[in-house]
Amino acid sequence: MIHHMSIPAKDPHRVAQVLAELCQGSVMPFPPLEGAYAVAAKDVYGTLFEVYPIGSEIMPGQGQDEASFCQNAHPYHFTAVHAAVSVPVSQAEIEAIAQRQGWRTLVCNRDGLFDLVEFWVENRLMLELLPPQMAEGYLQTMSPANLEHLEAQLAMVPTRS
């Protein structure tokens, strides 16, 4: 269970507001890092997104010191980090929100296993959004009862480059 995750954004406040709309949650400042925001989904899992200014990095502390933040002056535009997130809004609502922001969306079927909506935050970071009907398919595919079958299926899928 992933309870919270952080993502980078060029405009953290705007991205936080969009994520709050998708999750039907709320936005609040994230005091440990200037210019960062937290989005509380207000669900039973305590789901939270931390939205950091792009270039923010987390470094391990020394000895008993906690992790700290630093700023990379030359961050990459794209990242391999992504997440599949169940949202309470419909596919149509996701697409309307993305269109209003000027961000790319694409309905996809992942290797015949389940459907999702690629939601490209600021057209550079992908979130795989699962509205309720798509979430059902994902959860069924990833259920413990189906994992053995899934592993066999994935072993037969050619690797993509």
Side-chain angles (χ1 to χ4, degrees):
M1 171 69 63
I2 297 174
H3 293 285
H4 75 263
M5 68 175 294
S6 61
I7 63 170
K10 290 180 179 180
D11 187 341
H13 190 251
R14 176 181 173 202
V15 169
Q17 290 174 317
V18 171
L19 291 176
E21 185 176 0
L22 289 166
C23 295
Q24 297 179 338
S26 62
V27 177
M28 60 190 123
F30 185 72
L33 180 61
E34 186 176 338
Y37 295 88
V39 177
K42 298 182 178 179
D43 62 14
V44 298
Y45 305 107
T47 303
L48 187 82
F49 293 93
E50 296 170 6
V51 187
Y52 300 165
I54 193 166
S56 300
E57 296 179 354
I58 301 173
M59 302 182 323
Q62 299 291 321
Q64 296 300 311
D65 293 338
E66 294 183 14
S68 63
F69 294 97
C70 69
Q71 190 68 24
N72 181 342
H74 305 287
Y76 288 102
H77 184 72
F78 296 105
T79 177
V81 174
H82 74 284
V85 180
S86 291
V87 293
V89 297
S90 69
Q91 175 185 330
E93 290 171 294
I94 292 168
E95 290 168 343
I97 291 166
Q99 184 176 21
R100 190 174 67 239
Q101 297 298 321
W103 298 348
R104 175 181 167 81
T105 60
L106 181 68
V107 176
C108 300
N109 179 278
R110 294 293 195 236
D111 298 318
L113 299 171
F114 53 86
D115 296 326
L116 55 82
V117 180
E118 284 187 2
F119 184 87
W120 285 87
V121 175
E122 297 180 322
N123 292 316
R124 49 171 226 79
L125 180 126
M126 181 182 62
L127 293 178
E128 296 174 325
L129 298 184
L130 298 158
Q133 288 181 325
M134 291 180 186
E136 287 178 29
Y138 176 87
L139 292 171
Q140 182 178 16
T141 299
M142 300 305 288
S143 72
N146 287 330
L147 283 179
E148 189 173 314
H149 175 71
L150 176 61
E151 290 170 356
Q153 272 187 291
L154 290 176
M156 298 173 69
V157 175
T159 304
R160 294 184 255 183
S161 314

